[in-house]
């Protein structure tokens, strides 16, 4: 009471008397005795001392603040406002006028100090100055719905009487101020729709009187502190649209007065706490668009005061309780879509008699839709789409659309799309005269579309596509003036587009009639009078004759798909010139129509919003106009399968957003060029089956976004640039059927993401790089028909993803590594037409391979099912073969370095043992090839086994090489490179023995 009296007095004389009395007490000796006594009660002492100092400080402050202080603070605030378009403050806030009469200002009747400031929704722009903290009597502040920005000044912590603070819908920034925790009287805090960041400060939760906390649509991060439960008076908590993470704290259940709780659109994980079901005053519970898992606590369905339950777009699973609605007498809305909920629909739904919105779409519910649903007489929206519902629980119509639904006369929106509903569409559908959207697509409905649909006079959206409706396409049924969208695609309907389609559908915006069984005739010119049309989908039908140029009058058109008809145009493709009037066009598809014309220059004047343009297999001739580079928003450009000639236009580099470029199956010539390398978002290149020549641009490796490269069947003649190894995300590389040369670069092993690599029918040479073994995700590899040499790298056994491997028609030698048996996914393996020898592996994938994959090699052996001779197995043969092989290797070394020594080692005779004047070289030369046994060491051959002659031939070949190396004139000697090649061939010959 004493503090209140001091705060409420306006008499300065009284303050002076009070201060004099305090000073007198301080100077009195009795004061020390009092202090000593008080210290014995420590807690009481601290409290009284703090209270005493607070009184003194308050008294001092009161003697120095008055209405003038408030006026100065507000004028300072006004000076920071840089825009007042409606002059609310310019004309009112003047020093000549009493502050209490200023616009938005309310003063207390007792003290005549500023008590309330309400400047909401005045389109003001500016910042809050430090002086604002001098409004010490301020109880309510509302600056909502303006353009204030910057950080909140710390001096606002002095507004200790503040109970209501509304700063919503502005541009304030910075972290959520911790000094909010000093505003102990605060009851309402609204910071919605600003740019606050950081986490919720711990001091925040000192505001125990807080009833409303609205921080929606900011960028607040971190976890929801467990101290949230200390808000025992909290009634509204709105944290929608932030970046909060972690779990929902169980302590939230302590906020027992909570009525409105919304933490949707965050990044929260974990389960919904069971304790939320104890918040018996809750009327609105929304936790949509998070990453919650687990089941929905059954206790939530016992909150009798709840009106809204919203858990859309999480990962919630489990069943809904069958008695879900037994404890929810006033539930009006329930949103559970886009989760993983399963099981049957609860049979108690009819007990939620006030239910207006029921959304169970995009889950895994199955079973019947109960007949009781027809009792929900207040239901306006029923969304059950994208589940596995089979129909109504009734023996006569199980599997069809539940008739009881068509008794809910209040129904405005019905979605049963993408279920397993069968049967026909009931005529009772005509009862739903308030229906605005009807979505039954993606089921197995059949029969005719009944004329009762025309009773739905308020219908705006009709979606019956992807069913099996049959019969005539009677567009007159849909003569409903407000109809904006019709989706009848993929049905067994037949007919023509009516010539008066504009009068039948005057307000149509989206028309989907693609993939009908027998839609014939022409596109009527009158369709150009459907001036609101944004989407026209007529693909994959049997439409004929000219595409009407009047389509260009549809100035709101965004999407036009005429793919797969029999439509034509004039030789200049005038339709493209007329479509330049459609400035909102984003997607244009003319593919698979016999247009038979040339791309006009005007194609470059199509909408700059165009993102997709395809004209595949349209028999288009001539060049790609350079003006196509004006289509700067293109993501996809596809002119494949035409008769285009000339070079790739240089202006292609202007398409900086392009992601997929398809020009395959044409007659384009010239170089690929470096212009392509400026498309840093390019993901796919399809240039196959043209006449492109020159080299593969080295800069291609700089387009790190590339995923697919198709350049097969051209006339490219360079090597593979090593920079291609930079394409870490490349999945497909097709350079087949070109004239590519050189070695395969080791950098090819960097293409770890590759799944298909076709380098066949080129002129690549040298060995297969061992680095290729690092491509463990590669499924298809073709190197056939090149000039590759060397052996099959043993590292290829690490390519565990391989299903297809073709190395045929090369010069590959050596053996087939037995380690390839580890490639368990291998289904095709072709090494025919090479120089391989040795045993063909028989385990793993080799068990199922055909003999044709191994034909035309040097000396392969193995199982008879491969069509090759068996490998030698006798121990005597193996011993001789091993002995000869060892000597072959050792003496081969001697041959290379000291040929004359080599001859001596093989002959094992002294120089004086030759007849006449013959030298060692002459004697050996005269003895070859018929008298090999006369000169060779008998220990090297065994004259009794079956392969004697073949071994003698091998020895003779070695001796001839030695003689070539002993020629006296160095210029006539065989060079070492050729010697190695000769020895390699002799080795193969020896192994075949």
């Amino acid at each position: 009471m004493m503090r209140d009296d001091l705060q409420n007095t306006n008499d300065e004389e009284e303050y002076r008397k009070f201060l004099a009395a305090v000073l007198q007490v301080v100077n009195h000796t009795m004061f020390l005795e009092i202090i000593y006594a008080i210290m014995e009660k420590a807690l009481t002492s601290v409290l009284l001392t703090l209270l005493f100092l607070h009184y003194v400080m308050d008294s001092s402050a009161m003697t120095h603040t008055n209405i003038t202080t408030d006026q100065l603070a507000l004028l300072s605030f006004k000076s920071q406002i840089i825009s007042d378009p409606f002059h609310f403050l310019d004309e009112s806030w003047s020093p000549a006028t009493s502050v209490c009469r200023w616009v938005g200002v309310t003063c207390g009747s007792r003290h005549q100090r500023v008590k309330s400031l309400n400047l909401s929704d005045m389109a003001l722009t500016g910042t809050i100055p430090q002086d604002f903290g001098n409004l010490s009597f301020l109880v309510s502040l509302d600056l909502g719905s303006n353009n204030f920005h910057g950080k909140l000044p710390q001096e606002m912590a002095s507004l200790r009487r503040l109970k209501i603070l509304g700063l919503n819908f502005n541009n304030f920034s910075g972290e959520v101020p911790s000094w909010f925790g000093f505003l102990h009287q605060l009851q309402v805090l609204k910071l919605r729709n600003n740019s606050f960041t950081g986490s919720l400060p711990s001091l925040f939760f000192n505001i125990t009187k807080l009833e409303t906390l609205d921080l929606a649509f900011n960028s607040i991060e971190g976890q929801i502190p467990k101290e949230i439960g200390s808000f025992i008076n909290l009634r509204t908590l709105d944290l929608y649209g932030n970046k909060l993470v972690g779990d929902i704290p169980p302590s939230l259940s302590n906020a027992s007065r909570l009525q409105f709780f919304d933490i949707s659109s965050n990044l929260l994980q974990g389960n919904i706490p069971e304790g939320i079901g104890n918040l018996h005053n809750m009327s609105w519970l929304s936790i949509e668009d998070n990453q919650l898992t687990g089941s929905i606590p059954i206790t939530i369905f016992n909150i009798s005061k709840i009106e809204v339950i919203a858990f859309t777009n999480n990962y919630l699973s489990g069943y809904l309780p069958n008695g879900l609605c037994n404890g929810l007498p006033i539930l009006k809305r329930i949103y559970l879509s886009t989760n993983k909920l399963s099981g049957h629909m609860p049979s108690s739904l009819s007990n939620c008699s006030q239910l207006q919105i029921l959304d169970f779409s995009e889950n895994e519910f199955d079973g019947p839709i109960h007949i009781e649903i027809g009792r929900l007489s207040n239901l306006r929206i029923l969304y059950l789409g994208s589940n596995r519902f089979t129909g109504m629980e009734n023996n006569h119509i199980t599997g069809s659309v539940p008739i009881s639904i068509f008794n809910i006369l209040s129904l405005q929106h019905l979605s049963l799309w993408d279920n397993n509903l069968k049967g026909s569409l009931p005529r009772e559908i005509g009862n739903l005269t308030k229906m605005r959207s009807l979505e039954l697509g993606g089921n197995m409905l059949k029969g005719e579309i009944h004329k009762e649909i025309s009773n739905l006079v308020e219908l705006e959206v009709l979606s019956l596509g992807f069913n099996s409706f049959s019969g005539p396409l009677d567009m007159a049924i849909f003569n409903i003036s407000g109809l904006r969208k019709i989706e009848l695609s993929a049905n067994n309907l037949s007919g023509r587009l009516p010539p008066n389609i504009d009068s039948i559908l005057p307000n149509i915006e989206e028309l989907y009639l693609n993939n009908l069984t027998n839609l014939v005739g022409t596109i009527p010119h009158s369709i150009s009078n459907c001036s609101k049309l944004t989407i026209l989908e007529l693909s994959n039908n049997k439409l004929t004759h000219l595409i009407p140029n009047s389509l260009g009058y549809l100035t709101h058109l965004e999407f036009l798909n005429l793919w797969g008809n029999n439509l034509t145009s004039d030789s200049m493709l005038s339709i493209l010139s007329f479509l330049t009037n459609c400035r909102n066009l984003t997607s244009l598809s003319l593919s698979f129509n016999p247009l038979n014309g040339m791309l006009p220059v005007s194609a470059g004047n199509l909408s700059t919003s165009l993102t997709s343009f395809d004209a595949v297999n349209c028999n288009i001739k001539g060049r790609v106009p350079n003006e196509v580079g004006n289509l700067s928003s293109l993501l996809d450009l596809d002119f494949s399968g035409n008769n285009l000639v000339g070079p790739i236009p240089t202006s292609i580099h202007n398409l900086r957003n392009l992601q997929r470029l398809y020009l395959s199956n044409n007659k384009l010539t010239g170089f690929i060029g470096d212009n392509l390398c400026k498309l840093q978002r390019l993901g796919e290149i399809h240039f196959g089956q043209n006449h492109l020549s020159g080299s593969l641009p080295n800069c291609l490796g700089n387009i790190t976004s590339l995923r697919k490269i198709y350049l097969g069947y051209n006339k490219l003649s360079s090597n593979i640039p090593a920079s291609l190894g930079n394409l870490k995300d490349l999945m497909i590389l097709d350079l087949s059927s070109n004239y590519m040369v050189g070695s395969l670069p080791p950098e090819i092993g960097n293409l770890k993401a590759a799944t298909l690599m076709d380098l066949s029918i080129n002129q690549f040479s040298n060995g297969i790089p061992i680095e290729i073994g690092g491509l463990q995700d590669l499924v298809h590899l073709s190197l056939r028909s090149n000039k590759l040499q060397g052996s099959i790298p043993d590292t290829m056994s690490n390519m565990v993803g391989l299903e297809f491997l073709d190395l045929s028609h090369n010069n590959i030698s050596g053996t087939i590594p037995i380690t390839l048996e580890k490639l368990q996914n291998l289904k095709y393996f072709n090494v025919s037409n090479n120089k391989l020898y040795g045993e063909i592996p028989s385990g793993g994938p080799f068990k199922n391979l055909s003999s044709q994959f191994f034909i035309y090699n040097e000396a392969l052996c193995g199982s008879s099912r491969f069509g090759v001779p068996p490998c030698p197995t006798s121990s005597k043969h193996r011993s001789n073969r091993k002995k000869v092989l060892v000597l072959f290797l050792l003496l081969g070394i001697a041959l290379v370095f000291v040929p004359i020594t080599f001859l001596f080692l093989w002959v094992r005779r002294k120089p004086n043992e030759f007849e006449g004047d013959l030298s060692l070289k002459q004697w050996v030369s005269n003895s070859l090839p018929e008298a090999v046994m006369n000169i060779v060491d008998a220990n090297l051959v065994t004259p009794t086994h079956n392969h004697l002659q073949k071994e003698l031939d091998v020895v003779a070949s070695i001796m001839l090489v030695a003689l070539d190396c002993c020629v006296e004139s160095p210029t006539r000697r065989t060079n070492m490179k050729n010697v190695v090649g000769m020895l390699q061939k002799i080795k193969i010959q020896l192994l075949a023995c």
Side-chain angles (χ1 to χ4, degrees), residues 739-751:
Y739 301 109
M740 305 286 288
V741 297
S743 302
L744 300 180
E747 289 80 5
I748 207 170
N750 297 335
L751 306 178

Side-chain angles (χ1 to χ4, degrees), residues 960-981:
L960 289 172
V961 174
L963 290 172
D964 285 342
C965 293
C966 293
V967 175
E968 292 183 4
S969 173
T971 57
R972 296 179 58 196
R973 293 175 191 163
T974 304
N975 62 52
M976 288 301 102
K977 181 177 180 181
N978 290 337
V979 169
V980 172

Side-chain angles (χ1 to χ4, degrees), residues 911-963:
N912 58 2
E913 294 180 359
F914 301 116
E915 301 174 358
D917 297 329
L918 291 177
S919 67
L920 175 62
K921 287 194 301 179
Q922 291 171 332
W923 182 71
V924 171
S925 179
N926 292 341
S927 301
L928 294 177
E930 290 81 5
V932 176
M933 285 297 294
N934 294 335
I935 61 174
V936 72
D937 186 347
N939 293 324
L940 293 177
V941 292
T942 305
T944 59
H945 65 72
N946 298 330
H947 298 277
L948 174 61
Q949 187 56 50
K950 290 183 179 180
E951 288 187 359
L952 291 177
D953 291 342
V954 168
V955 172
S957 298
I958 296 173
M959 301 294 276
L960 289 172
V961 174
L963 290 172

Side-chain angles (χ1 to χ4, degrees), residues 725-933:
N726 298 333
L727 305 180
K728 307 297 185 184
D729 297 320
L730 191 69
M731 299 173 64
I732 295 176
L733 176 61
D734 183 358
L735 302 176
S736 61
S737 299
N738 279 282
Y739 301 109
M740 305 286 288
V741 297
S743 302
L744 300 180
E747 289 80 5
I748 207 170
N750 297 335
L751 306 178
K752 305 294 186 183
T755 58
L756 183 148
M757 191 178 294
D758 191 346
L759 308 179
S760 62
I761 316 179
N762 280 285
Q763 298 178 27
F764 292 118
S765 58
N766 297 320
I768 302 172
I770 60 174
E771 289 81 2
I772 203 169
L775 306 183
Q776 296 188 6
D777 292 334
L778 199 64
V779 175
H780 181 113
L781 175 60
S782 179
L783 300 176
R784 74 181 179 92
S785 300
N786 279 284
K787 298 179 179 179
L788 296 173
Q789 301 171 355
S791 59
I792 300 173
D794 191 61
T795 57
M796 295 187 80
S797 63
N798 298 324
M799 303 172 73
V800 293
L802 269 183
E803 297 179 11
F804 182 102
L805 177 58
D806 193 344
L807 303 177
S808 63
H809 296 274
N810 280 285
N811 295 314
I812 299 172
S813 57
T815 61
I816 301 173
I818 194 170
T819 53
L820 296 185
E821 291 182 347
K822 296 191 300 184
L823 303 180
Q824 295 300 317
N825 295 312
L826 197 62
K827 298 177 177 61
Y828 182 97
F829 177 74
N830 192 344
V831 290
S832 61
N833 294 85
N834 278 288
K835 298 180 177 180
L836 296 168
Y837 56 80
E839 186 172 4
I840 300 173
S842 57
F846 290 87
K847 295 177 180 178
N848 303 312
L849 295 180
S850 169
S851 60
Q852 62 180 338
F853 297 152
F854 303 96
I855 60 175
Y856 304 117
N857 275 283
E858 289 283 351
L860 287 174
C861 62
S863 172
S864 59
R865 60 188 174 85
F866 294 131
V868 295
C871 297
T873 57
S874 71
S875 59
K876 184 175 182 180
H877 177 79
R878 287 199 304 268
S879 175
N880 283 329
R881 183 177 172 191
K882 183 176 180 181
K883 180 169 62 175
V884 175
L885 272 173
V886 171
L887 286 172
F888 173 81
L889 292 174
L890 292 174
L891 298 176
I893 295 171
L895 170 62
V896 172
F897 293 103
V898 191
I900 195 68
T901 303
F902 166 80
L903 289 176
F904 176 73
L905 289 172
W906 276 74
V907 175
R908 291 292 182 93
R909 299 186 65 171
K910 299 178 181 178
N912 58 2
E913 294 180 359
F914 301 116
E915 301 174 358
D917 297 329
L918 291 177
S919 67
L920 175 62
K921 287 194 301 179
Q922 291 171 332
W923 182 71
V924 171
S925 179
N926 292 341
S927 301
L928 294 177
E930 290 81 5
V932 176
M933 285 297 294

